[in-house]
Amino acid sequence: MAKVIGLVNLHSDIEFTGLTERRPVASVSFLGRYGIIDFVLSNMSNSKIDAIGVMIQKKPRSLFKHLGNGNSWNFNQKAGGVSLLYNEKYANDPKYNHDINNLVENIHFLETSNADYVVIAPAHIVTTMDYNDVITAHEKSGASITMTYRKAKDADVSWVGCDVLEIDKDGLLTGKTINKGTRKRQNISLETYVINRKELLEIMKKAHKISAFYDLKDILGYLCDEKQIHTYEYKGYARCLDSTEAYFKYSLEMLDIDISSRVFKSNWPIYTNTNDTPPTKYLANANVKKSFVANGAVIDGTVENSILGREVTIGKGAVIKNCVIFSGSKIAPGAVLENVIIDKRAKVEKKLELKGTETSPLYIKEGDRV
């Protein structure tokens, strides 16, 4: 049986307005109780990959707190557990602070492993991918590199800015471009790769020789002319959280049971940190429809098509529609909120009518009082 290690690649250069001011995308709250990184870590765990390196680009503090020792994701600590790979040398230099340099700075993670293959996956592209299926296809192909993709039917409105893979009839990569939203159907890269460990070490050396600014996507695109790079089509759930608007849209999309059941499956658990909080308390005026409410909330108003984090308080007669409210926030009695994202521990007390739009939600900063 092949030995496999995993890398969670957080070098995406993606920001959510306000939400990522002090945290990376990976640790932004999702569905009230998860972090976005929980999905890729759960995929690794469910695929029986026990040694994981998390390649942190910037703002590491919240990730250190969220990940801890990795026990929440059922990683076998004797087989490796979670290693936090941070490139302090180039942390404040954006041009040099890329994934290849992170791996070079933390090369011991690869060199001390006896793994045959490395699975590399991002956090901002949410899937329920079984990496064992990709590894099996990778072994059968005989290639040293496999790139995953999906056949998108909405590439004119989603996945804009993502890589498009050009694939021949044998399933080999022939080129790579950027999706500019000009076509509906595209082979969109999911930025998830299976690479032979020794091959990855060679790729790192080659990238450095070609350009000090080359990241992993750059070097893989460069190599498609001289190496056989196999591709694998993934057909399951996949969403790209590449903007505040996408985050808001795909968060509320999860309130549709047909969609959420594609992610939260009995045979594919999504793990996260647990908190010691009491059950939600519904008071006399509570009226909750099609919403996700985490533990510890206290509700005395109307909540519709919204996501409430832990220990959120909704005051008497307040009306909350199409909102994402992070843990510890308090909404005053009589407030009316629609299409709003409220960060942790914020308080709505004076401005009682707050409205954004579905495509441009209003954002309230962490800890603010409005």
Side-chain angles (χ1 to χ4, degrees), residues 29-132:
S29 175
F30 195 79
L31 282 183
R33 63 188 300 264
Y34 300 97
I36 290 174
I37 196 173
D38 292 344
F39 294 88
V40 64
L41 288 177
S42 297
N43 290 347
M44 296 276 185
S45 178
N46 292 329
S47 300
K48 309 303 180 187
I49 302 173
D50 286 320
I52 311 296
V54 179
M55 300 159 61
I56 302 172
Q57 182 186 37
K58 54 190 173 182
K59 305 170 189 172
R61 182 174 58 183
S62 63
L63 272 174
F64 291 162
K65 180 180 178 181
H66 182 72
L67 296 177
N69 59 10
N71 284 343
S72 296
W73 295 270
N74 288 341
F75 293 123
N76 184 340
Q77 297 299 316
K78 291 183 179 180
V82 175
S83 298
L84 302 178
L85 310 180
Y86 185 54
N87 188 357
E88 288 184 302
K89 182 178 179 181
Y90 293 125
N92 297 312
D93 192 335
K95 291 181 179 179
Y96 284 93
N97 187 10
H98 53 71
D99 45 18
I100 291 290
N101 275 345
N102 189 316
L103 288 175
V104 171
E105 189 72 8
N106 295 282
I107 198 167
H108 63 278
F109 181 79
L110 293 173
E111 289 186 333
T112 58
S113 170
N114 63 351
D116 302 297
Y117 308 123
V118 183
V119 173
I120 305 174
H124 71 282
I125 297 179
V126 177
T127 73
T128 56
M129 190 181 300
D130 187 339
Y131 302 128
N132 289 313

Side-chain angles (χ1 to χ4, degrees), residues 81-219:
V82 175
S83 298
L84 302 178
L85 310 180
Y86 185 54
N87 188 357
E88 288 184 302
K89 182 178 179 181
Y90 293 125
N92 297 312
D93 192 335
K95 291 181 179 179
Y96 284 93
N97 187 10
H98 53 71
D99 45 18
I100 291 290
N101 275 345
N102 189 316
L103 288 175
V104 171
E105 189 72 8
N106 295 282
I107 198 167
H108 63 278
F109 181 79
L110 293 173
E111 289 186 333
T112 58
S113 170
N114 63 351
D116 302 297
Y117 308 123
V118 183
V119 173
I120 305 174
H124 71 282
I125 297 179
V126 177
T127 73
T128 56
M129 190 181 300
D130 187 339
Y131 302 128
N132 289 313
D133 294 340
V134 190
I135 292 165
T136 299
H138 176 76
E139 290 180 316
K140 287 181 179 178
S141 74
S144 57
I145 304 169
T146 294
M147 302 176 68
T148 66
Y149 71 97
R150 74 175 289 109
K151 291 182 177 179
K153 298 178 181 178
D154 59 347
D156 56 332
V157 292
S158 300
W159 307 96
V160 176
C162 294
D163 287 346
V164 174
L165 304 187
E166 298 171 5
I167 303 168
D168 68 15
K169 60 182 178 59
D170 297 317
L172 297 178
L173 182 71
T174 60
K176 186 166 70 72
T177 59
I178 300 296
N179 179 27
K180 297 180 180 180
T182 56
R183 295 172 56 188
K184 287 187 175 182
R185 296 179 180 270
Q186 298 275 26
N187 295 324
I188 300 293
S189 170
L190 298 178
E191 298 180 30
T192 298
Y193 319 113
V194 175
I195 305 177
N196 295 3
R197 183 180 64 87
K198 292 180 180 179
E199 179 71 24
L200 180 57
L201 290 168
E202 291 301 315
I203 287 173
M204 291 159 55
K205 294 177 184 177
K206 186 149 192 170
H208 185 70
K209 289 179 180 178
I210 297 170
S211 171
F213 294 164
Y214 257 30
D215 62 13
L216 185 58
K217 290 201 292 184
D218 290 330
I219 188 61

